[in-house]
Amino acid sequence: MITWLGFAWTVFAAATVAALSTTLRFMFPNVLFEPKTSFKIGSPDTYELGKVDTRWEDKYGVWIIRSPEGIYALSTVCTHLGCKPSWMDSEQKFKCPCHGSGFYKSGINFEGPAPRPLERFSISLADDGQILVDKSKKFQYEKGEWSNPLSLLAV
Amino acid sequence: MIEVFKEAVNQFSSPVAIFTTGILLLALFVALPALMTSPLVAGAIGLLTVAFFIFGYFDPHFGEMVARPDNIPIVGLIFIFGFFTWYAMRKAVLNDALIAAGKPPKEKEESEEKVMVFPYLIYIEFVVALLYAAGLVFWSLLIKAPLEDPANPALSPNPSKAPWYFLGLQEMLVYFDPWLAGVLFPTIIIVGLCAIPYIDNDPKTSGYYCFRQRRWGITAFLGGFWLLWILLILMGTFLRGPNWNFFGPFEEWNLHKVVPLVNVNLSEYFYLKWLGIGLPKNWFLRELPGFTGLAAYFWVIPTLLEKTVFKKLQERMGTARYHILILLALLMLALPIKMYLRWAFNLKYLVAIPEFFFNI
Ligand code: FES
């Protein structure tokens, strides 16, 4: 015997399940945007000494800096909450627009709430003489990882 | 003349000056509620605020900020919240006077009848909800939604502002680690608000406005709401500019304004400045001063208060409820305390363990 109430509950349950299943569908996007984690960025001579190179910040999310010691690749993700700071040449610092954290050219945090320095990525010379950056390997200063030879490309 | 006034306002506008003014105003308000809510004083405050906004509207920078589609709700909020705070306090003050004269509160005179929530209250709420919905439709027809470009992880607009109702949280993020300001505090705010009816389950004073019998509760509420939420939203909306720097209301947003914000951790103050020895290698030793301070704050203070000033309160409330109340109160106070420590001493974190991503 089908009662009206039973019928109503069945319809309600079916509608709920259907709605939930479409929600679940959103967990599996059709396209996943995952940029390559390792890439070549030209020969070391194209990077000027003492300059912060912002060429690759949009495409790969790295700043390339050539210091007297060598070339390193800094992550463009603020260590506070993940906004993208901008390089301010006249002030010689990275400044985050979200809560005002500031970082020196080296990546060390010195102002605002960011608790630790920007991360560096693995950087090395490929066989064809180009710089090879591998974002899957990162080096954190506070863990003493910047002494790792892969974090700095001596030139 | 106008320029001098604007310049003076800009000069005065710093987070610490504004927040302190807010505290003083609130203290005045709860210390002299009868005076502050009198039509003359309250009306003067209201008119001055309106005058300030009209005056500011003709300033190129402030005018743009005020008229921005994003910011219209905030300008409205000042006046709506201001009005309702005044309205409730005014009724409370009048009732206080009646009660002091030995008479029953006004609400008792109006009607002694008990009415049901359903349908009477629900009906009123339903009508109000309809009016609000209609109002929102008209609003959205009149003013275009301020949408921006599609999100792009490689580009953070400068300044990057949260939606207006989250600007208080964003302001908190300036002073706290993301885990605290973004996760722990919001959770505690919600849980703490839910806990209020269980902490204070005293039925006296229910059914009518009053202030004197509920002085601490109302003061805590006004402080939390006006200072720690609304004021932070206002600062975030009108006074935070590029690079999250602080700007006066009539100050052009200069992308290259340099404000030294070099912050120092407590461990560095303790070991480098006061003791003059280097930072210990071991993180626990290094952060010991911070841990000690926190233990004193969250453990010694409640225990001391329990033995002294709050003895009666503790007996009335029972241990569990007393401790929950004190803990919530201390957490709430921790926010302005940390803000003042930052403003006064550039203190960054009391406990900073980047090794574990743990900072307080
Ligand atoms: S995300 Fe950069 S300062 Fe908060």
Side-chain angles (χ1 to χ4, degrees):
Chain A
M1 237 305 267
I2 307 168
T3 65
W4 278 113
L5 200 63
F7 180 67
W9 273 114
T10 320
V11 172
F12 176 72
T16 312
V17 169
L20 277 184
S21 59
T22 49
T23 312
L24 217 63
R25 174 66 186 76
F26 280 109
M27 304 283 165
F28 305 95
N30 298 331
V31 193
L32 254 193
F33 173 71
E34 267 172 8
K36 272 198 292 177
T37 58
S38 88
F39 40 84
K40 291 182 181 168
I41 50 168
S43 95
D45 330 318
T46 58
Y47 295 90
E48 243 178 277
L49 188 68
K51 274 266 163 62
V52 172
D53 201 301
T54 56
R55 240 182 299 172
W56 309 105
E57 62 176 3
D58 287 347
K59 195 162 175 205
Y60 295 126
V62 289
W63 291 302
I64 308 297
I65 295 122
R66 179 165 183 172
S67 69
E69 293 82 47
I71 302 182
Y72 50 91
L74 274 184
S75 153
T76 62
V77 175
C78 178
T79 52
H80 181 231
L81 210 54
C83 289
K84 182 181 152 277
S86 36
W87 171 247
M88 307 177 64
D89 207 45
S90 46
E91 285 86 28
Q92 288 289 305
K93 68 181 179 189
F94 299 101
K95 186 77 178 162
C96 184
C98 289
H99 317 94
S101 285
F103 304 87
Y104 292 126
K105 199 193 276 180
S106 59
I108 302 276
N109 54 322
F110 72 99
E111 63 177 357
R116 56 197 187 87
L118 296 172
E119 289 168 4
R120 291 188 183 181
F121 293 125
S122 153
I123 189 167
S124 56
L125 223 43
D127 302 333
D128 58 358
Q130 290 202 49
I131 300 178
L132 180 74
V133 175
D134 185 357
K135 282 179 72 176
S136 62
K137 275 191 229 98
K138 58 181 191 186
F139 302 103
Q140 293 171 237
Y141 171 82
E142 69 279 6
K143 292 190 181 157
E145 291 171 347
W146 283 8
S147 53
N148 189 308
L150 271 178
S151 71
L152 187 79
L153 177 65
V155 278
Chain B
M1 183 55 208
I2 290 177
E3 289 310 311
V4 175
F5 173 70
K6 284 184 182 173
E7 189 49 39
V9 173
N10 286 343
Q11 284 299 329
F12 175 77
S13 298
S14 68
V16 54
I18 290 180
F19 201 82
T20 312
T21 316
I23 293 181
L24 293 179
L25 271 179
L26 181 76
L28 205 64
F29 193 70
V30 294
L32 304 165
L35 177 75
M36 294 300 281
T37 58
S38 68
L40 199 69
V41 177
I45 295 177
L47 279 181
L48 276 180
T49 320
V50 175
F52 181 79
F53 273 93
I54 294 179
F55 169 80
Y57 185 74
F58 292 101
D59 179 83
H61 171 74
F62 194 67
E64 195 211 312
M65 300 288 305
V66 171
R68 253 193 209 183
D70 313 73
N71 294 351
I72 290 175
I74 318 220
V75 180
L77 158 159
I78 300 177
F79 293 101
I80 295 171
F81 287 168
F83 173 76
F84 281 112
T85 307
W86 169 78
Y87 184 76
M89 273 303 252
R90 183 72 194 152
K91 290 205 154 193
V93 165
L94 294 180
N95 270 345
D96 280 350
L98 282 177
I99 293 167
K103 285 188 233 150
K106 189 124 181 300
E107 286 82 353
K108 196 173 167 82
E109 260 165 45
E110 283 170 355
S111 152
E112 284 253 35
E113 199 189 340
K114 263 201 176 166
V115 289
M116 295 302 201
V117 166
F118 185 83
Y120 298 100
L121 177 66
I122 301 287
Y123 180 73
I124 297 175
E125 287 176 347
F126 178 67
V127 172
V128 172
L130 279 183
L131 289 178
Y132 261 89
L136 274 181
V137 170
F138 281 114
W139 187 342
S140 61
L141 286 175
L142 285 176
I143 296 168
K144 281 236 169 63
L147 289 180
E148 289 169 26
D149 298 337
N152 175 358
L155 192 94
S156 299
N158 194 4
S160 285
K161 290 198 180 182
W164 63 267
Y165 41 85
F166 278 153
L167 278 175
L169 289 184
Q170 190 172 4
E171 190 64 27
M172 274 159 53
L173 277 163
V174 175
Y175 308 98
F176 287 94
D177 184 79
W179 266 106
L180 293 182
V183 182
L184 192 70
F185 279 2
T187 315
I188 290 179
I189 292 172
I190 293 170
V191 173
L193 286 174
C194 298
I196 289 177
Y198 302 97
I199 293 173
D200 182 353
N201 52 9
D202 191 349
K204 90 172 177 212
T205 78
S206 70
Y208 59 92
Y209 290 98
C210 70
F211 177 64
R212 216 170 284 164
Q213 290 155 312
R214 277 268 185 261
R215 185 168 290 170
W216 289 109
I218 293 176
T219 304
F221 169 76
L222 288 178
F225 185 64
W226 271 101
L227 296 180
L228 301 184
W229 198 245
I230 301 300
L231 190 62
L232 295 187
I233 288 180
L234 294 180
M235 297 209 295
T237 308
F238 295 117
L239 305 175
R240 288 292 186 179
N243 301 326
W244 212 245
N245 275 329
F246 206 86
F247 291 84
F250 306 117
E251 191 177 344
E252 272 310 313
W253 280 6
N254 175 3
L255 223 67
H256 295 279
K257 174 170 177 167
V258 179
V259 186
L261 290 171
V262 184
N263 299 324
V264 183
N265 287 326
L266 180 67
S267 54
E268 288 154 1
Y269 267 124
F270 188 78
Y271 287 107
L272 301 182
K273 212 160 158 207
W274 295 333
L275 293 190
I277 54 178
L279 281 180
K281 276 267 167 305
N282 180 301
W283 62 262
F284 184 75
L285 219 58
R286 186 185 70 214
E287 302 306 335
L288 202 57
F291 284 131
T292 319
L294 285 176
Y297 184 70
F298 282 109
W299 187 60
V300 178
I301 291 184
T303 325
L304 272 184
L305 287 179
E306 187 180 358
K307 298 258 150 61
T308 55
V309 256
F310 286 163
K311 201 162 176 167
K312 282 245 181 58
L313 185 78
Q314 200 267 356
E315 272 159 22
R316 208 176 64 217
M317 295 185 69
T319 312
R321 275 168 58 219
Y322 166 82
H323 277 284
I324 291 175
L325 170 70
I326 294 292
L327 181 70
L328 287 173
L330 285 177
L331 279 169
M332 187 170 146
L333 276 179
L335 175 61
I337 290 178
K338 178 87 193 275
M339 286 161 63
Y340 273 107
L341 285 177
R342 171 72 61 84
W343 294 326
F345 305 110
N346 282 325
L347 180 81
K348 186 172 185 181
Y349 289 122
L350 291 162
V351 173
I353 316 178
E355 290 92 331
F356 298 129
F357 229 89
F358 181 87
N359 309 287
I360 297 175

